[in-house]
Amino acid sequence: MSTHLYWRSLAALMLGLCLAVVAVVATAATPGRSVIDGGWAFRLMPGNAQLAAHPEALPWHAAKVPGTVHTDLLANKLIPDPYVGAPEAGLQWIGLADWEYRTRFEAPRRAKRSDLVFEGLDTFAEVWLNGEKLFEADNAFRTWRIPVQDKLRAKGNELRVVLRSPISRLLPAVRAMPRKLAGNYPSPYGDESADAMTANFARKPGYHYGWDWGPRYVSAGIWQPVVLESWDAVRIDNLQLRQDRVDQARADIAAVVLAEAVRDGAFDLRLWQVAPDGKRSLAALRRVELRAGDNRIELPVRIDRPQRWFPNGYGAQPLYRFELEIGDGKAVAARARARTGLRSVALRREADDKGRSFYFEVNGIPVFAKGANSIPFDMFQPRVGKAQLRRVLQSARDANMNFLRSWGGGYYESDDFFDLADELGLLVWQDFMFGGGMQPAYDDAFRANVIAEARDNVRRLRNHPSLVLWCGNNEEEIAWKYWGPGKAMTEADPEFAGKVWNGYVQLFGTDLRKVVAEEGGGISYWASSPSDDLAEVANTPASGDMHYWEVWGNPAYPPSKYLEITPRFMSEYGLQAWPVQRTIEAFASRGQQGIATPLIEAHQKFMAGKGNERLMKYVNFEFGDPKDFSSFVYLSQVAQAEGIELAALHHRASRPYTMGSLYWQLNDVWPGASWSSVDWFGRWKALHFHARRFYAPVAVAALRNAEGRTRVSLLNDRTHHVRGELRLRLMTLDGKLLRDERKPVELAPLSASQLANYSDAELLGNADPASTVAVFDLQSEGEPASRRVVYFMAAKDMRWPDPGLRSELRRDGGGARLALRATKFARAVWIDFGGTDAGIADNAMTLLPGEAVDLHIASSARLATLRTALRLRSLADELRVY
């Protein structure tokens, strides 16, 4: 059959009743992909120094691949749960040991080409097949592909992987350096000294070595799938959907095919397109001559009147699917699928009289970035499932976020993460995996390793419409310039300091920028965060992105200081809080809980000082001393929520000068104290409930500064005008109305407009500041109501009445309804059902005197159980004795 007739016949068959038969024939000719995930076993390497103290780890035990040493030890009951209690110190031996994994697999099909593909080895690994050493790996972030067609047996192939301790492997050379490179967080366990840390030299997740929100578990493992791929004609290595032009009228796409052919020959390429509504059509057809080895082909695709993809809050997220088929005249020899959303995206850096802007424009719309920083979702990445990712990313969307920064001290996020971001309309800023300190980028081999890593991951992720920026690293430029390491090294050894900095500029200024330019499909690159893309001054409000840690970090200013800092784009700022009581009880019993108890301290990882003492300082700023640990937990969440709200609304009110507000941080790596708004179990802290309100597309910002002036602004992220009414009420805490003003307002599209700037005297008049508040309410057409309450004194100095909270629970379909009413002013109301599973529609709210809310409770528990478990709390319970 000629190739032309083959394709005509295949197309006819696909429309007929023989579709299933054709699918079987075509699949048989395509490359075989066999995941090697069964029969794995592991052990501590014989002869290892850790063996004397841990002989129980020497025998072979069952292992899970993908997985890690820690999770395999836990599954075999050889170690306690690393998250429960305080076992961290006793588990450090795992990171100092060498480990061995093995399995057997079958390869019954003889093919002209067979590759073993290791999608992730953490980190220093030796791989053996049937007694022959295949290769050594030295980068957890790379994919390793090894031809094995001449090394396979039909049955009984033995695969063996030896994983060397990164600490033991690197420490001798690091200790021998005359001048040491600055690291991140010193080990508290004596395995590394503060002046000789190995993490910067290892291409593995930096957070494994400990961070100020997670433990030190220097793990190892086969952390991504192992696959045997076999084929006879051609293999598709990558299908890129490069978007050259996207506007309302049309989308011009280049389908860029990277294919590896076994032999020279003619092949037919067909590209099928599936529109968001499911309609399938032939997008491109071409006959090509492939050469043995690597080939690159571009197929142009034009889509008229495309359904464009928008960030959350600006439109829908329609997704197009494409399927590429390569035929060899007999059958479909290879297939590849890819999905994308059609949009234009640009990072805008426009000069003005203050400096240069920094904002993202999507489909011609300047987007104010509202969101948070994401960190790894677990200490042991292979156990992060899509359901866990969906729970947290859906929470981000539910809080009106449109932007996440995926931080550089973990791992490049998974396909599942980006698939969900695509579906939910969450723009993603992806750091390359450099979390801090300084790397040996002056070493050519180190840079080459990183370039290969970058190419792997940029190619893997580049079709995702959610991906809008690649960033070289987190905080390495400002650490060198402003935190002391650069100055100290320059004074001690200027020649080596110059070598270190020049290597940094080469890697982050040139090498990674080039990879993104070549492979990224038009996505922008940014050298570091915070930075001005290697300009002389970094972390400046005038230009580029900014991290601001003088609130919480040293000198630990009160949250009102946020109002004095107006950046172009705030990519990090944060306040810490403990998670909800139920999460704490997952690792500590009530008797083990206390502000300074050993177990609680073990889950407080702020390393720049004693974490709970710093957190207590922020509780004290506003609320005074808590009554007990439970009160401390509750007040920490209120302080976090109210402080971050102040900052985020200030950033939004400063539009268009400021065009982004990403607080630190969205999620947790384990259960403990941190800056997150969603804890490790997926439970919302008070901050996340507040975020849903302060990130609402249409909102009022009434912000009182330390000098007693309140700036009132109206915020509109919609692309259309919004009409509404702004109401100002001055009232006492027991409900007496002293002032009531209403004003019709119109909010311009994509704007922040200042309406007033009051002094305390102008708002209060002669009212008592200890018992009076100003309430600003914005009611607008088609939008949820927005409220901002202004307090004239610290909460600890106010006279709080008993709010007289009254509640009633009733059955409501598969859940329940909670009717809640306050007799007098109720600030920071927290609804809790203890250990009973119950999803609450809203929480962490303020009720005015006489105000009521009716909330849905998602729970399968009996109504009587919910009534017994229900606990209500407000600020008055903590600051007043009735």
Side-chain angles (χ1 to χ4, degrees):
M1 180 187 292
S2 71
T3 303
H4 177 65
L5 288 175
Y6 159 73
W7 282 115
R8 287 184 59 188
S9 300
L10 179 60
L13 286 169
M14 289 176 68
L15 295 174
L17 297 175
C18 297
L19 177 62
V21 175
V22 174
V24 171
V25 173
T27 301
T30 58
R33 176 181 167 88
S34 175
V35 178
I36 303 172
D37 59 0
W40 284 95
F42 83 111
R43 67 175 178 177
L44 182 63
M45 279 288 287
N48 190 263
Q50 301 300 318
L51 187 58
H54 301 282
E56 70 281 2
L58 178 61
W60 289 101
H61 292 86
K64 184 177 181 180
V65 171
T68 72
V69 172
H70 282 79
T71 48
D72 286 334
L73 289 167
L74 176 62
N76 285 279
K77 297 183 169 55
L78 297 174
I79 61 171
D81 190 320
Y83 291 1
V84 176
E88 186 179 348
L91 298 181
Q92 294 307 303
W93 66 274
I94 301 168
L96 297 171
D98 297 335
W99 300 90
E100 183 178 12
Y101 281 71
R102 72 179 184 187
T103 191
R104 287 183 175 269
F105 66 96
E106 309 303 311
R109 178 174 176 250
R110 299 297 294 177
K112 292 182 179 178
R113 278 292 308 272
S114 291
D115 287 354
L116 267 177
V117 184
F118 296 82
E119 297 180 6
L121 293 169
D122 185 5
T123 293
F124 294 105
E126 302 152 19
V127 178
W128 303 72
L129 177 63
N130 296 327
E132 180 182 345
K133 189 175 185 179
L134 289 182
F135 72 103
E136 292 188 15
D138 60 355
N139 190 322
F141 308 121
R142 288 179 61 179
T143 295
W144 306 91
R145 176 180 290 274
I146 310 298
V148 293
Q149 60 271 7
D150 299 326
K151 306 178 189 302
L152 290 171
R153 306 167 183 160
K155 294 184 177 181
N157 292 281
E158 183 181 59
L159 185 59
R160 178 170 165 261
V161 180
V162 175
L163 298 160
R164 302 293 181 183
S165 162
I167 299 172
S168 301
R169 173 76 171 264
L170 293 170
L171 194 55
V174 173
R175 282 175 173 162
M177 292 177 67
R179 303 291 178 196
K180 309 295 194 296
L181 298 182
N184 295 309
Y185 293 108
S187 171
Y189 303 111
D191 49 339
E192 295 181 341
S193 61
D195 67 342
M197 291 184 276
T198 61
N200 293 2
F201 298 83
R203 295 309 299 142
K204 75 178 263 95
Y207 79 106
H208 285 180
Y209 295 82
W211 222 267
D212 56 6
W213 33 253
R216 180 183 174 92
Y217 289 133
V218 184
S219 200
I222 306 170
W223 75 285
Q224 294 281 24
V226 180
V227 180
L228 177 65
E229 291 187 2
S230 300
W231 68 98
D232 293 312
V234 65
R235 177 183 69 86
I236 301 171
D237 184 62
N238 188 266
L239 172 59
Q240 178 187 8
L241 304 171
R242 193 184 70 220
Q243 300 184 32
D244 295 332
R245 167 185 169 174
V246 177
D247 57 29
Q248 191 171 9
R250 80 170 198 255
D252 292 332
I253 299 172
V256 183
V257 183
L258 301 181
E260 181 184 6
V262 173
R263 54 172 173 79
D264 294 353
F267 292 84
D268 296 297
L269 272 65
R270 287 204 173 195
L271 184 70
W272 298 94
Q273 172 192 309
V274 180
D277 63 2
K279 183 179 180 181
R280 191 171 189 261
S281 60
L282 185 63
L285 170 65
R286 182 184 297 178
R287 186 170 178 81
V288 297
E289 294 287 335
L290 298 183
R291 299 301 178 194
D294 295 333
N295 297 264
R296 185 180 185 276
I297 310 105
E298 286 197 19
L299 302 173
V301 177
R302 172 169 171 160
I303 301 174
D304 292 321
R305 296 180 299 280
Q307 298 180 53
R308 288 184 293 172
W309 183 97
F310 287 87
N312 180 33
Y314 293 87
Q317 292 80 45
L319 297 167
Y320 287 77
R321 291 183 290 116
F322 292 84
E323 180 177 326
L324 176 71
E325 298 173 341
I326 300 182
D328 62 0
K330 299 176 182 178
V332 176
R335 276 195 180 91
R337 295 177 177 86
R339 187 179 78 165
T340 195
L342 304 179
R343 85 288 183 263
S344 64
V345 60
L347 172 62
R348 297 298 186 195
R349 310 264 356 266
E350 297 154 353
D352 57 27
D353 60 345
K354 300 281 178 45
R356 294 183 71 187
S357 66
F358 187 104
Y359 68 92
F360 294 88
E361 187 178 87
V362 181
N363 296 328
I365 301 170
V367 173
F368 189 99
K370 301 180 296 188
N373 291 260
S374 67
I375 64 170
F377 289 77
D378 197 278
M379 280 304 300
F380 312 111
Q381 192 278 342
R383 66 182 186 181
V384 177
K386 193 168 185 177
Q388 180 183 358
L389 291 170
R390 183 181 295 278
R391 182 169 60 245
V392 178
L393 296 193
Q394 183 66 54
S395 293
R397 180 184 169 101
D398 290 346
N400 292 304
M401 294 184 185
N402 58 35
F403 207 110
L404 298 177
R405 172 176 171 248
S406 180
W407 168 80
Y411 44 77
Y412 298 95
E413 269 302 346
S414 65
D415 296 328
D416 285 343
F417 175 97
F418 277 93
D419 284 345
L420 289 165
D422 294 344
E423 295 163 12
L424 296 171
L426 299 171
L427 303 176
V428 180
W429 161 328
Q430 179 65 60
D431 283 357
F432 285 99
M433 288 302 107
F434 297 91
M438 182 59 73
Q439 276 68 39
Y442 50 80
D443 181 79
D444 292 343
F446 181 89
R447 284 204 322 279
N449 197 359
V450 172
I451 291 167
E453 156 198 325
R455 204 171 297 277
D456 280 354
N457 286 283
V458 173
R459 285 183 176 181
R460 176 173 66 89
L461 297 173
R462 61 189 173 186
N463 289 330
H464 291 281
S466 54
L467 180 59
V468 296
L469 186 71
W470 283 99
C471 178
N473 66 71
N474 172 78
E475 294 186 345
E476 295 196 0
E477 182 179 344
I478 61 165
W480 180 266
K481 288 181 174 178
Y482 305 131
W483 295 354
K487 180 181 178 182
M489 185 173 286
T490 300
E491 291 174 351
D493 190 340
E495 182 178 354
F496 185 56
K499 183 179 178 180
V500 170
W501 180 247
N502 290 338
Y504 175 95
V505 173
Q506 177 66 36
L507 179 58
F508 296 110
T510 300
D511 294 343
L512 293 178
R513 194 184 305 274
K514 183 179 179 182
V515 171
V516 174
E518 291 174 349
E519 307 283 3
I523 297 301
S524 294
Y525 173 80
W526 192 244
S528 182
S529 181
S531 78
D532 195 12
D533 209 24
L534 283 172
E536 182 178 355
V537 178
N539 206 32
T540 167
S543 187
D545 74 310
M546 190 173 183
H547 294 188
Y548 185 68
W549 285 105
E550 291 184 1
V551 174
W552 180 268
N554 293 323
Y557 290 126
S560 60
K561 189 71 174 180
Y562 283 135
L563 300 180
E564 300 176 25
I565 308 299
T566 306
R568 294 295 189 163
F569 191 106
M570 188 67 88
S571 49
E572 274 193 31
Y573 64 101
L575 288 168
Q576 208 194 68
W578 279 92
V580 297
Q581 193 71 41
R582 187 179 181 190
T583 294
I584 296 170
E585 288 170 8
F587 62 83
S589 68
R590 285 292 176 108
Q592 295 169 316
Q593 296 174 25
I595 293 173
T597 61
L599 203 151
I600 290 299
E601 290 282 3
H603 286 252
Q604 166 58 271
K605 292 297 181 181
F606 179 59
M607 299 179 186
K610 289 188 69 66
N612 280 347
E613 289 182 4
R614 179 61 55 90
L615 187 48
M616 183 67 80
K617 179 175 184 175
Y618 278 86
V619 169
N620 280 330
F621 272 138
E622 183 68 21
F623 307 116
D625 293 328
K627 296 187 294 188
D628 52 28
F629 182 71
S630 176
S631 176
F632 175 59
V633 169
Y634 163 79
L635 291 175
S636 76
Q637 289 205 23
V638 180
Q640 180 193 40
E642 294 187 354
I644 298 302
E645 179 171 348
L646 190 71
L649 288 175
H650 169 62
H651 300 151
R652 293 190 66 191
S654 302
R655 179 181 187 149
Y657 185 89
T658 302
M659 286 297 290
S661 183
L662 310 180
Y663 64 74
W664 187 272
Q665 64 208 57
L666 174 65
N667 61 299
D668 271 335
V669 77
W670 79 326
S674 82
W675 295 261
S676 72
S677 59
V678 179
D679 74 23
W680 183 73
F681 288 98
R683 297 168 185 146
W684 289 20
K685 295 181 183 176
L687 170 57
H688 210 78
F689 289 100
H690 277 242
R692 184 166 58 189
R693 296 190 278 266
F694 63 66
Y695 279 152
V698 178
V700 60
L703 307 173
R704 181 179 180 273
N705 65 20
E707 285 71 47
R709 297 203 67 88
T710 299
R711 176 168 56 109
V712 181
S713 301
L714 301 182
L715 316 174
N716 181 19
D717 287 341
R718 300 299 190 194
T719 56
H720 56 81
H721 282 82
V722 172
R723 292 181 176 85
E725 179 185 76
L726 180 67
R727 184 182 187 187
L728 162 62
R729 281 175 285 176
L730 190 73
M731 64 175 61
T732 63
L733 297 178
D734 59 8
K736 183 178 180 182
L737 193 60
L738 306 178
R739 180 178 180 178
D740 192 354
E741 300 172 2
R742 300 172 186 261
K743 178 181 180 180
V745 292
E746 183 169 334
L747 289 69
L750 304 170
S751 70
S753 55
Q754 182 173 314
L755 256 63
N757 193 337
Y758 298 100
S759 67
D760 280 356
E762 288 170 326
L763 274 177
L764 269 173
N766 295 321
D768 179 5
S771 59
T772 308
V773 296
V775 182
F776 293 86
D777 285 301
L778 175 64
Q779 298 280 351
S780 49
E781 299 171 359
E783 302 290 344
S786 176
R787 170 177 292 167
R788 178 76 184 160
V789 179
V790 173
Y791 304 97
F792 299 96
M793 301 182 72
K796 61 188 176 184
D797 298 322
M798 295 182 70
R799 293 192 292 272
W800 298 98
D802 180 352
L805 291 173
R806 302 290 183 267
S807 65
E808 180 184 351
L809 272 169
R810 64 185 187 278
R811 181 56 61 194
D812 179 30
R817 302 290 301 184
L818 173 65
L820 185 63
R821 182 181 180 85
T823 305
K824 298 180 181 179
F825 194 93
R827 179 174 171 182
V829 174
W830 186 256
I831 304 163
D832 187 72
F833 287 94
T836 303
D837 287 327
I840 306 166
D842 200 7
N843 213 336
M845 67 190 77
T846 291
L847 298 179
L848 304 185
E851 193 169 38
V853 293
D854 196 64
L855 304 173
H856 178 69
I857 309 298
S859 179
S860 59
R862 297 173 58 191
L863 202 59
T865 302
L866 290 173
R867 284 174 177 149
T868 301
L870 174 64
R871 295 290 181 272
L872 300 175
R873 195 172 205 160
S874 79
L875 198 61
D877 298 313
E878 311 306 319
L879 305 187
R880 179 185 181 278
V881 178
Y882 303 142

